[in-house]
Amino acid sequence: MVPAARVPVIGDDFHALFETYRISNGSFLDAIVFGWNQGFLAGHLNPVGQAAGAAYHFGAFAFSSAFEISPQYYDVFFGSLFLWLTVAAAASVLTWGLRNAGVRAEVGYWRVFALVAAVTAVTVQLHPWSNDPVTSFGPAGWGSAAIGFWLLALALRSTTPGRRGWGDYVLVGVVALGAVMYYEMLVGMIAGTAVVYLGALLRARARRDSAGAWRAVGMGALGVVAPAVVFVVGRALLAIPADQSNYTGTSLSLGGDALATWWAAMVGALPGGGWPYLFSMLGGQVSLNAKSLIVALLLCGCTALLMYGWRRSSSLTPPATRSAVIPLGAVLVTWALTTATHATTVKYIDEIKVPGQVYLYYGVGVVCVAILISWGIMAWAERIPMAGRPLVLLVIGALLVTQVSLNWRLATESAMAFAPNRTLAGAAITDDGTEQARCDALAGWIERPWPTYYLTVVTTDVQENFESVFGEPFCDDPVVIARVEELVG
């Protein structure tokens, strides 16, 4: 998150930063109601997620204007928190996956967490020319991923051989229903849990474990069937069709184009998968600077310490058994179908053509890859001869230096491109500056090639919010106002 922290609030987050507070008239409860109602528009059925997103964006403006600090600090803090929760949930998936697969050694959670976090840090990429969940869309991107991975971890925990009790039923049912109403992408992660329940059922039948079989059936009914019914029936009865709002992000389109988009999206989640496109957008080369080198060396040092600590710890090798297929299959299906929830829609078929162009599924995909790589490391690390381990560290170091340097340059490009966002947001949350400074910030921002609807709502909301909070106009300069009116038509 170090390079990503340099990127200002952008895209829909920047728009919603001002809109949510203005529409709710400064009322947190009204913001949640507004978000909940938005969850039934444009073919969506995600009122829980929209309400959470509205609360998040309301809080961004309310907190920033109350303490008169840049909303970028709020955005970076919660973005880091959502990412941490995602990695924590992924570590839980791997921990319970190992136990579910029959690992006999003690599986320490924090040991697994360190491994998954390290792999994620080494492989995550920035994508400033796309709808990138790494630098924006916090509640919908990393927030959705965290919920989905916790749900998958609950599925693996609840079906671990010998586990009993009713508490798992309640947790799985509640989280699954909440997930399917949080964001449509989580349907793919619920499909991943279906693999767990099906695998647990087949394993229990093979072992003639009737209690385990019925438990798998019950979990599947609550964790897969019930959410599926809510999703299908809810969309049919409650959601306003996408064609009535000209939004194509929920309009399905199957065929060769969808398959090509899906393949590009899957490859883009692999380590270095987006490099050809990302390097080409930077002119084919990335220079190494002191700051990115320091970050890369720190990560290399942490990786070396992790390798040293892992070697000194007790063996934790996943068994090559049929039970291992359950967690591995679940992660693969989660990755593939979560990606498909976007790759099979008209909007993203048009926008995603090559690896490196992404949408919110990337947050799930890159962490699924981190889980699979972590599993492979545990399975093969002890087979690497001592003499070959320095070579492995060198390869990891080369990957780290390249990826960190690339991310740093991409973050710099994004920070420069959206510098007017930082200036306008900073001026809009404090009355310490002069009106002339605020007008200059607005005048600079409106000259960027924004879509007309975006320009209209941001300029209107900035003016209304500022006057509502600070009791004076944001900008009354007739020249600037006339230019705004000219641009919005």
Side-chain angles (χ1 to χ4, degrees), residues 291-315:
K291 292 180 180 179
S292 62
L293 180 60
I294 290 171
V295 173
L297 290 175
L298 286 174
L299 287 173
C300 284
C302 292
T303 303
L305 287 175
L306 177 64
M307 291 176 63
Y308 176 76
W310 199 274
R311 186 173 65 84
R312 292 179 59 87
S313 302
S314 58
S315 175

Side-chain angles (χ1 to χ4, degrees), residues 240-480:
I240 297 175
D243 57 10
Q244 293 184 18
S245 63
N246 296 318
Y247 178 71
T248 57
T250 54
S251 299
L252 289 178
S253 177
L254 304 177
D257 289 343
L259 181 60
T261 296
W262 177 83
W263 179 251
M266 292 289 286
V267 172
L270 297 172
W275 284 6
Y277 171 74
L278 296 172
F279 273 106
S280 70
M281 295 299 288
L282 294 173
Q285 58 181 342
V286 175
S287 58
L288 187 65
N289 61 47
K291 292 180 180 179
S292 62
L293 180 60
I294 290 171
V295 173
L297 290 175
L298 286 174
L299 287 173
C300 284
C302 292
T303 303
L305 287 175
L306 177 64
M307 291 176 63
Y308 176 76
W310 199 274
R311 186 173 65 84
R312 292 179 59 87
S313 302
S314 58
S315 175
L316 191 59
T317 305
T321 62
R322 291 181 179 177
S323 290
V325 175
I326 296 176
L328 293 176
V331 172
L332 283 169
V333 169
T334 293
W335 176 21
L337 294 189
T338 299
T339 303
T341 60
H342 289 130
T344 55
T345 63
V346 174
K347 176 177 173 64
Y348 301 110
I349 289 173
D350 291 339
E351 294 181 2
I352 298 169
K353 302 296 184 182
V354 297
Q357 296 173 328
V358 302
Y359 193 50
L360 304 187
Y361 60 78
Y362 176 78
V364 174
V366 71
V367 176
C368 282
V369 172
I371 294 172
L372 296 173
I373 291 175
S374 298
W375 187 288
I377 290 172
M378 287 186 288
W380 292 94
E382 293 187 0
R383 302 183 187 184
I384 300 174
M386 189 65 66
R389 292 179 183 180
L391 178 61
V392 172
L393 186 58
L394 285 174
V395 172
I396 294 173
L399 174 64
L400 257 173
V401 170
T402 303
Q403 188 62 70
V404 170
S405 299
L406 178 60
N407 284 346
W408 198 273
R409 174 68 187 281
L410 292 169
T412 299
E413 291 289 320
S414 188
M416 292 173 60
F418 292 98
N421 281 24
R422 181 186 292 108
T423 304
L424 181 59
I429 51 84
T430 178
D431 61 351
D432 284 347
T434 64
E435 183 180 359
Q436 184 60 52
R438 298 196 295 268
C439 288
D440 289 344
L442 183 60
W445 187 84
I446 62 176
E447 294 303 331
R448 303 305 297 273
W450 308 114
T452 301
Y453 84 91
Y454 194 85
L455 182 69
T456 302
V457 295
V458 170
T459 53
T460 300
D461 294 342
V462 165
Q463 295 272 26
E464 292 189 15
N465 284 346
F466 191 86
E467 189 160 359
S468 171
V469 174
F470 298 108
E472 60 179 293
F474 180 78
C475 175
D476 259 350
D477 187 326
V479 175
V480 177

Side-chain angles (χ1 to χ4, degrees), residues 14 18 21 34 50 67 74 125 142 149 154 160 198 285 290 298 304 341 345 377 394 438 478:
F14 189 75
F18 302 110
Y21 193 88
F34 163 72
Q50 290 282 4
F67 293 95
Y74 179 97
Q125 304 167 57
W142 293 125
F149 282 118
L154 286 173
T160 299
L198 178 59
Q285 58 181 342
L298 286 174
T341 60
T345 63
I377 290 172
L394 285 174
R438 298 196 295 268

Side-chain angles (χ1 to χ4, degrees), residues 36-260:
W36 180 273
N37 292 333
Q38 291 292 110
F40 299 99
L41 303 180
H44 289 292
L45 183 71
N46 58 346
V48 174
Q50 290 282 4
Y56 172 85
H57 292 299
F58 176 93
F61 186 84
F63 179 85
S64 299
S65 60
F67 293 95
E68 300 188 8
I69 60 173
S70 171
Q72 187 172 346
Y73 291 107
Y74 179 97
D75 204 50
V76 169
F77 173 80
F78 280 101
S80 302
L81 176 62
F82 291 141
L83 174 57
W84 186 89
L85 290 173
T86 298
V87 173
S92 188
V93 169
L94 185 53
T95 299
W96 285 104
L98 291 167
R99 294 171 181 171
N100 203 295
V103 171
R104 295 183 178 181
E106 178 64 27
V107 182
Y109 172 79
W110 291 110
R111 181 182 176 189
V112 174
F113 175 85
L115 179 60
V116 176
V119 175
T120 303
V122 171
T123 57
V124 71
Q125 304 167 57
L126 302 189
H127 313 84
W129 295 282
S130 291
N131 298 303
D132 188 9
V134 181
T135 55
S136 57
F137 304 102
W142 293 125
S144 294
I147 293 171
F149 282 118
W150 282 118
L151 181 60
L152 185 56
L154 286 173
L156 289 164
R157 185 181 75 161
S158 66
T159 55
T160 299
R163 190 171 178 86
R164 298 290 183 264
W166 291 93
D168 290 334
Y169 288 95
V170 176
L171 278 174
V172 166
V174 171
V175 176
L177 285 173
V180 81
M181 297 180 71
Y182 188 89
Y183 192 43
E184 293 88 348
M185 180 176 73
L186 291 172
V187 170
M189 304 198 80
I190 288 176
T193 67
V195 174
V196 175
Y197 301 130
L198 178 59
L201 174 61
L202 295 176
R203 178 177 59 195
R205 292 189 62 183
R207 296 177 179 179
R208 297 184 179 181
D209 177 8
S210 60
W214 280 112
R215 185 175 179 83
V217 170
M219 290 295 176
L222 288 171
V224 178
V225 177
V229 170
V230 169
F231 183 74
V232 173
V233 175
R235 282 174 65 91
L237 298 180
L238 300 175
I240 297 175
D243 57 10
Q244 293 184 18
S245 63
N246 296 318
Y247 178 71
T248 57
T250 54
S251 299
L252 289 178
S253 177
L254 304 177
D257 289 343
L259 181 60

